[in-house]
Amino acid sequence: MPVERTLSIIKPDATERNITGKIIDRFEEAGLRIVAQKKIKLSVQRAEKFYEVHRERPFFSDLVKFMSSGAIIVQVLEGENAILKNREVMGATNPEEAAEGTIRKDFAVSIEANSVHGSDGPETAVEEINFFFKEEEIVT
């Protein structure tokens, strides 16, 4: 199995409720290593740039407002099949559809405030990691 990297974001709803440690534990228990991590606050402009792919969607404004509303934790996770593993640990976007024991099932407040974001594929992972991290910030 290939060793991959993926971007993970712990969203404002989770940082506000001080449950970041519980979420990080889930990633580590699944065998994912955190090779970069920082706590930041996105400006509206930076959130718009990151979520540019969704600009034409009806939820874009609300997403940008939410993601720039408070602190987030951005991190690079590394491991075998990290992208798929991360998505399995997170659970379905809609917490009502998420499997038992997943982050979104256990911690999400709503479909928008669903506690975490993860890259959806290899190309996206590279783009998203590069958006937040310089190469020297990633330490294996």
Side-chain angles (χ1 to χ4, degrees):
M1 290 187 215
V3 172
E4 297 175 323
R5 289 181 178 164
T6 188
L7 182 81
S8 167
I9 300 175
I10 301 177
K11 295 181 177 182
D13 64 291
T15 60
E16 181 180 312
R17 291 180 289 145
N18 201 31
I19 59 172
T20 59
K22 292 177 183 179
I23 291 171
I24 290 166
D25 282 347
R26 301 282 181 100
F27 296 128
E28 291 181 331
E29 287 170 6
L32 295 166
R33 292 183 60 236
I34 298 168
V35 295
Q37 183 182 68
K38 56 188 167 183
K39 187 174 189 177
I40 63 171
K41 185 172 186 305
L42 287 175
S43 66
V44 169
Q45 295 78 16
R46 195 132 158 88
E48 286 176 340
K49 187 173 182 182
F50 183 73
Y51 287 106
E52 180 69 30
V53 68
H54 298 302
R55 184 169 290 280
E56 301 306 318
R57 300 240 172 108
F59 59 82
F60 178 75
S61 298
D62 289 339
L63 176 61
V64 167
K65 183 177 177 184
F66 170 65
M67 290 302 292
S68 60
S69 70
I72 62 172
I73 295 183
V74 290
Q75 50 194 3
V76 179
L77 305 177
E78 183 178 81
E80 290 185 0
N81 290 317
I83 296 166
L84 178 60
K85 190 173 286 186
N86 180 40
R87 297 189 69 74
E88 289 171 351
V89 171
M90 289 189 308
T93 302
N94 183 343
E96 292 178 13
E97 297 171 3
E100 292 295 326
T102 61
I103 291 170
R104 288 176 173 152
K105 184 68 168 185
D106 294 344
F107 300 119
V109 175
S110 67
I111 194 165
E112 180 182 81
N114 63 13
S115 301
V116 287
H117 163 90
S119 303
D120 62 6
E123 296 81 18
T124 307
V126 169
E127 291 173 17
E128 291 182 345
I129 289 168
N130 290 337
F131 186 87
F132 288 107
F133 293 95
K134 298 174 189 165
E135 188 59 39
E136 63 268 16
E137 294 177 302
I138 302 171
V139 181
T140 55

